[in-house]
Amino acid sequence: MSEFSIDEKRGLYRAIYERRDVRSHFLPAPVPDDVLLRVLDAAHHAPSVGFMQPWDFIVIRDEATRGAVRENFECANRKAAAIYQDEKRSLYDNLKLAAIMEAPVNVCVTCDHQRNKGAGLGRQSNPTTDLYSTVCAVQNLWLAARVESLGVGWVSILDHDALKATLKIPAEITPVAYLCIGYVSEWGSQPELEKQGWENREALANLLHHDRW
Ligand SMILES: Cc1cc2nc3c(=O)[nH]c(=O)nc-3n(C[C@H](O)[C@H](O)[C@H](O)COP(=O)(O)O)c2cc1C
């Protein structure tokens, strides 16, 4: 293993800063299998507690299945909207928070809490580390997708029991991320929620502590 060249370093930081959560401007162009596999393999090379590799990836292209997930989202989103009032509510109602049908591929990333790999190393004090590991895989996927020019949108506004029923996910497995993936016609230079006036990025200096909280 050698050091990264300056261009390679730039490429990595560019992927980090230019990754976006994408909910619009998806193109219908299909995602070739080899490209999707590269992105999924990047996810599969994420760190995991005890090398547990607790993830599975469900690749969803079927329209009827995506239609059921979209209905699930719309119902969950109506409930989520209800906690906001006045100006925040109208802002919320104008946000686009999922692209389940527009994106040609959806991927559900799951966590198997009982996966027998790694013999429980690192999980005795904190069993939740299996979920953390799965989220690491999602982030790898998200960054790899960016360098493949694929937009990814994470949809968390879902009834997870209904999602498990739709995707026939066994009871002991937890769906962690539902991702909408596809080529896009444009990339936002800032988070969509920032652009829409919902939230800004906090200054790093306000979050940085030294030696104690
Ligand atoms: C765990 C998690 C859940 C998210 N759920 C949603 C969601 O349901 N709908 C949505 O539009 N964006 C969702 N997002 C995307 C965030 O809104 C987005 O990451 C954030 O606004 C920053 O924008 P950026 O990813 O483009 O930098 C989620 C992100 C994470 C990490």
Side-chain angles (χ1 to χ4, degrees):
M1 298 251 187
S2 60
E3 295 210 344
F4 283 71
S5 69
I6 296 205
D7 280 349
E8 286 168 337
K9 284 184 197 172
R10 279 202 190 110
L12 177 62
Y13 283 107
R14 190 180 156 209
I16 289 169
Y17 289 119
E18 295 188 14
R19 179 209 53 77
R20 285 276 74 82
D21 183 85
V22 179
R23 315 87 189 261
S24 31
H25 310 298
F26 277 104
L27 299 167
V31 179
D33 285 344
D34 59 329
V35 178
L36 187 63
L37 266 182
R38 276 204 296 275
V39 168
L40 294 175
D41 200 46
H44 182 50
H45 280 72
S48 61
V49 64
F51 205 16
M52 183 189 183
Q53 306 154 71
W55 42 71
D56 281 84
F57 305 97
I58 308 172
V59 177
I60 306 141
R61 291 196 173 89
D62 179 60
E63 288 233 356
T65 307
R66 285 189 290 141
V69 178
R70 184 182 53 184
E71 271 182 39
N72 177 338
F73 163 76
E74 277 167 3
C75 179
N77 199 34
R78 274 194 297 276
K79 285 189 196 149
I83 72 152
Y84 302 107
Q85 278 140 28
D86 308 324
E87 232 180 276
K88 204 73 175 168
R89 174 62 193 262
S90 40
L91 197 52
Y92 186 94
D93 287 341
N94 282 322
L95 294 174
K96 173 134 177 69
L97 297 173
I100 295 157
M101 300 310 284
E102 300 96 307
V105 184
N106 295 181
V107 171
C108 182
V109 186
T110 60
C111 176
D112 181 352
H113 308 282
Q114 278 141 38
R115 181 137 309 161
N116 202 18
K117 291 182 81 73
L121 189 150
R123 285 186 69 226
Q124 275 117 44
S125 343
N126 186 356
T128 320
T129 44
D130 56 0
L131 288 168
Y132 303 164
S133 305
T134 308
V135 175
C136 289
V138 175
Q139 180 70 345
N140 266 16
L141 182 159
W142 218 335
L143 290 171
R146 180 62 189 88
V147 304
E148 300 285 358
S149 300
L150 288 170
V152 174
W154 184 325
V155 187
S156 54
I157 307 163
L158 291 168
D159 176 319
H160 279 71
D161 289 333
L163 181 69
K164 284 176 77 163
T166 300
L167 300 180
K168 312 271 185 281
I169 296 173
E172 70 278 11
I173 308 282
T174 300
V176 171
Y178 191 89
L179 306 170
C180 304
I181 303 178
Y183 293 106
V184 290
S185 58
E186 57 181 89
W187 290 93
S189 58
Q190 59 184 143
E192 198 55 35
L193 292 186
E194 194 164 56
K195 203 162 104 192
Q196 302 297 331
W198 183 266
E199 192 53 271
N200 294 318
R201 187 179 305 285
E202 187 61 74
L204 173 62
N206 295 338
L207 309 170
L208 202 53
H209 309 255
H210 295 282
D211 299 329
R212 50 166 293 182
W213 181 266

